[in-house]
Amino acid sequence: MANKKINYYLTATVLLAPAAIIYIVFLIVPLLQSVWMSFFTWNGIATSPMEFVGLRNYERLISDPEFYRALINAGWFILGSFLIQMPIAFGLALIISSRIKGIRFFKASFFMPVILPITAVGLMFTFILNPNTGLLNTVLKNMSLDGLAQNWLADPKIAIFSVVMVSTWIYAGLNMLIFASGLTNIPSVLYEAAKIDGANFRQTLRHITIPMLRNTFVIYSVLAITGSLRTFDLVFVMTEGGPNGATYVPALYLYNEAFRYNNFGLGNATGAFILVLGLLISSVVNKFSVDR
Amino acid sequence: MKLRKHLPLYIVAIFWATITIYPLIFTALSSLKNNTEIYTTMFGLPEVYRFDYYKRAFIQGNMAVCIRNSFILALSSTAVTSLLASSASYVLTRMSLRINKYVMTLFTLGLMIPIHSTLIPLVKMVSSFKGQNSYLTMIVLYTAFNISLSLFIIAGYMRGISREIDEAGIIDGCSQIQLFWHIILPLIKPAVATAAILAFLFIYNDLIFALMFLSDASMHTISIGLMAFVGLRSTELGPTFASIILTILPMVIVYLLFQERVESGMTAGATKG
């Protein structure tokens, strides 16, 4: 009997341990180390010692204007997610949940950008947004809208918005599916009742669809905020934070401080900051969901 | 009547489909043109189809090597991740261990951790055993960072499978391993497929780990290969556009083959992430 029990635990260990060990050693431990190392300075040379400095990395972090700029730009990503991407994604969700013809084609084309390599998409758009030879400005000139043509990625005033727009181009399709799956969960009786009561499209949208999607909006908000705080690939590929730091984002700040300027302590403090801020905001936003 | 009611929907749908698809078509067409044609007949078809730009992307642009490496890494890491996530899911959902609850919470935590917050210690760790430019290091890292999501999808599906199957198997004399391998694993194929496709997409598209750990040109993956090729600032744009199309194409094919699975998996993955 005891033998059987040992066997049972042995089997469980064999099946669980490989996953758990890889996950703990290469993800959980580095995460904890990162928080721990944020209280030290270190120049990145394996043999040179780490020096304990308490909260000084965090003091340096919050007094660095570059970091503020990175946070503000993350804020632009968040604002873009709510003011531009959310209406688009919601509208697209209404379209693919409707009964128009060619839904499969539309759904596939709306979603396609999500699965493409961000590097390829980012580079593609650096060519499209090129001020002299790019597609966008050429289209604008052909439509005699020369006034709208811009130096999209090199003008510090608008570079961040260009990157936010490309990010919208990529992720609207994914968020469309999130809203669409929320829409399918609304009982159709509600719509039938509204129809009998003579409600028009706008009234139905306002009094049934949007209130019933409350949890979906909460999920979207968490995703939009945490995703914005983590942005890295697109900015790295398109502008590397330039022109002149105008498109800096927190993860890029971390990358540059650590791997360009060898300020590993400051980098780790940034990592811990992104982690805590993300968890904090998600837990606050989640409070708005119902029945959880 | 019906068309009139739906007309605004069609207009918006066609408008956004143009915005998403046209840049890809533009890039594909430009990959066959020389610079003059790109600038002068930007919207037209190429006069001559210059397929040798693809040859140049493959050889000069190192794209043959990059695509091969991306596939090797994505396929092998996906296989490892799927196997480990399935076996761990089996223990966590179908065996009764007291620690299961805590282990599950620990794995769920992985869905919320920003990859960059772990980067510096990881670089320190990998360089301490000189693990740069190695397939093995990359496979282990990709597994560690994708296992949470795979496990989440697979365990969720496994919970829905009736326990009576396990009891029947035990009565027939199955060991736990046999039960997992011969009975449960075939039943959870759909979830494993979804998780595997997602892992494959994430790994194939990865930039940051490749950037940190793969510096040899012979080890480059598509992301850093593409950046290196564009960084050369070749005067001719055709081969650059060709290399972009070459890296995009496999993903388009994967998506069109597994459309439903990719969509449902991405939605499930995102809403729990």
Side-chain angles (χ1 to χ4, degrees):
Chain A
M1 201 64 211
N3 226 340
K4 215 170 171 187
K5 205 153 196 192
I6 292 173
N7 230 331
Y8 186 82
Y9 287 122
L10 201 67
T11 310
T13 313
V14 169
L15 292 177
L16 181 61
I21 290 172
I22 288 187
Y23 175 73
I24 291 171
V25 171
F26 293 96
L27 199 155
I28 298 295
V29 169
L31 183 80
L32 298 175
Q33 274 182 321
S34 166
V35 177
W36 171 247
M37 283 164 73
S38 72
F39 301 109
F40 292 81
T41 56
W42 182 53
N43 60 10
I45 298 163
T47 49
S48 81
M50 303 198 306
E51 191 192 335
F52 183 79
V53 291
L55 288 172
R56 208 179 312 150
N57 286 324
Y58 290 93
E59 281 166 22
R60 269 182 71 191
L61 187 68
I62 56 171
S63 58
D64 186 353
E66 293 273 277
F67 182 65
Y68 273 101
R69 187 138 60 160
L71 278 185
I72 289 169
N73 283 336
W76 283 121
F77 271 94
I78 295 173
L79 215 63
S81 312
F82 284 104
L83 297 183
I84 300 163
Q85 193 174 160
M86 194 170 76
I88 293 176
F90 185 68
L92 296 179
L94 288 177
I95 288 172
I96 61 160
S97 314
S98 73
R99 285 186 194 153
I100 67 170
K101 289 203 179 83
I103 293 279
R104 255 183 87 86
F105 165 78
F106 285 127
K107 199 172 171 185
S109 32
F110 299 161
F111 188 75
M112 185 72 78
V114 179
I115 47 115
L116 303 178
I118 291 196
T119 323
V121 170
L123 290 173
M124 180 178 86
F125 272 101
T126 56
F127 290 110
I128 289 175
L129 298 176
N130 183 297
N132 305 314
T133 57
L135 176 68
L136 182 59
N137 278 358
T138 311
V139 169
L140 290 173
K141 276 171 200 155
N142 283 356
M143 294 165 77
S144 332
L145 293 166
D146 300 46
L148 289 179
Q150 300 285 344
N151 197 346
W152 300 104
L153 293 172
D155 181 344
K157 280 198 215 76
I158 57 169
I160 187 67
F161 302 106
S162 305
V163 182
V164 169
M165 292 314 287
V166 175
S167 164
T168 307
W169 184 87
I170 297 174
Y171 292 110
L174 178 61
N175 294 310
M176 160 190 83
L177 289 187
I178 292 169
F179 283 118
S181 78
L183 285 174
T184 53
N185 289 332
I186 300 176
S188 55
V189 244
L190 292 179
Y191 289 113
E192 283 153 27
K195 209 171 174 187
I196 292 167
D197 291 343
N200 62 26
F201 175 74
R202 269 185 61 188
Q203 287 166 324
T204 319
L205 194 65
R206 195 168 154 222
H207 295 286
I208 295 176
T209 311
I210 291 175
M212 288 299 288
L213 284 180
R214 184 167 164 162
N215 281 353
T216 309
F217 281 109
V218 170
I219 290 169
Y220 177 82
S221 309
V222 172
L223 274 178
I225 294 166
T226 51
S228 298
L229 288 175
R230 294 176 190 189
T231 307
F232 176 82
D233 293 13
L234 196 58
V235 175
F236 185 80
V237 171
M238 291 185 71
T239 63
E240 286 192 74
N244 208 0
T247 54
Y248 238 38
V249 285
L252 187 64
Y253 180 88
L254 182 158
Y255 177 88
N256 278 350
E257 286 301 330
F259 304 112
R260 284 230 163 116
Y261 312 131
N262 292 336
N263 292 326
F264 286 86
L266 197 57
N268 279 313
T270 317
F273 192 92
I274 301 173
L275 175 74
V276 172
L277 193 64
L279 293 178
L280 212 68
I281 296 178
S282 324
S283 61
V284 169
V285 176
N286 265 322
K287 291 258 186 303
F288 288 95
S289 62
V290 279
D291 298 326
R292 273 234 192 162
Chain B
M1 172 61 200
K2 202 157 187 189
L3 186 72
R4 222 186 114 218
K5 199 180 123 202
H6 286 155
L7 195 60
L9 291 183
Y10 279 111
I11 292 171
V12 179
I14 291 168
F15 175 72
W16 192 258
T18 311
I19 287 187
T20 52
I21 298 301
Y22 185 67
L24 302 175
I25 296 174
F26 163 77
T27 307
L29 288 178
S30 301
S31 71
L32 301 165
K33 295 176 183 173
N34 63 21
N35 284 5
T36 333
E37 280 181 281
I38 292 177
Y39 299 145
T40 53
T41 54
M42 194 170 273
F43 307 102
L45 293 172
E47 284 161 30
V48 209
Y49 289 85
R50 293 166 213 273
F51 286 108
D52 67 301
Y53 285 162
Y54 280 84
K55 213 164 129 195
R56 279 168 58 183
F58 263 123
I59 296 159
Q60 285 172 11
N62 202 21
M63 278 302 133
V65 172
C66 294
I67 293 172
R68 192 200 67 197
N69 281 335
S70 282
F71 266 93
I72 291 175
L73 286 175
L75 287 174
S76 46
S77 312
T78 300
V80 175
T81 308
S82 305
L83 182 67
L84 298 192
S86 306
S87 62
S89 297
Y90 179 82
V91 176
L92 294 176
T93 61
R94 307 193 89 79
M95 294 180 78
S96 39
L97 298 189
R98 225 170 287 153
I99 56 161
N100 270 355
K101 217 175 83 189
Y102 307 106
V103 177
M104 197 70 203
T105 313
L106 191 67
F107 275 115
T108 318
L109 204 67
L111 296 171
M112 293 180 280
I113 293 170
I115 210 168
H116 304 96
S117 302
T118 61
L119 214 52
I120 296 167
L122 270 182
V123 170
K124 195 180 174 197
M125 188 197 289
V126 170
S127 61
S128 74
F129 58 81
K130 302 212 164 30
Q132 298 97 331
N133 295 309
S134 123
Y135 286 131
L136 186 64
T137 307
M138 298 305 280
I139 292 170
V140 169
L141 290 183
Y142 285 137
T143 303
F145 280 81
N146 281 291
I147 207 154
S148 278
L149 182 57
S150 294
L151 190 133
F152 174 80
I153 291 169
I154 294 170
Y157 190 85
M158 217 186 254
R159 270 194 207 100
I161 292 170
S162 164
R163 294 217 160 236
E164 285 166 26
I165 291 172
D166 302 33
E167 284 154 25
I170 302 263
I171 289 166
D172 288 345
C174 273
S175 71
Q176 291 287 338
I177 300 251
Q178 286 169 328
L179 195 60
F180 164 63
W181 192 257
H182 294 294
I183 298 175
I184 301 296
L185 203 56
L187 289 175
I188 57 163
K189 265 188 201 152
V192 176
T194 304
I197 291 168
L198 279 192
F200 181 87
L201 285 174
F202 287 140
I203 298 164
Y204 181 89
N205 293 344
D206 167 67
L207 167 67
I208 189 72
F209 282 159
L211 193 63
M212 303 289 10
F213 302 117
L214 301 174
S215 48
D216 277 4
S218 66
M219 291 297 294
H220 274 183
T221 59
I222 54 139
S223 288
I224 42 174
L226 208 52
M227 288 192 77
F229 188 39
V230 174
L232 293 177
R233 300 202 182 281
S234 133
T235 42
E236 260 192 304
L237 292 171
T240 307
F241 283 121
S243 60
I244 292 177
I245 291 296
L246 282 174
T247 58
I248 281 179
L249 213 54
M251 291 298 97
V252 174
I253 293 168
V254 169
Y255 175 53
L256 292 179
L257 285 178
F258 306 106
Q259 197 181 338
E260 302 279 308
R261 249 185 231 301
V262 173
E263 288 168 359
S264 63
M266 286 292 263
T267 320
T271 46
K272 284 296 156 188

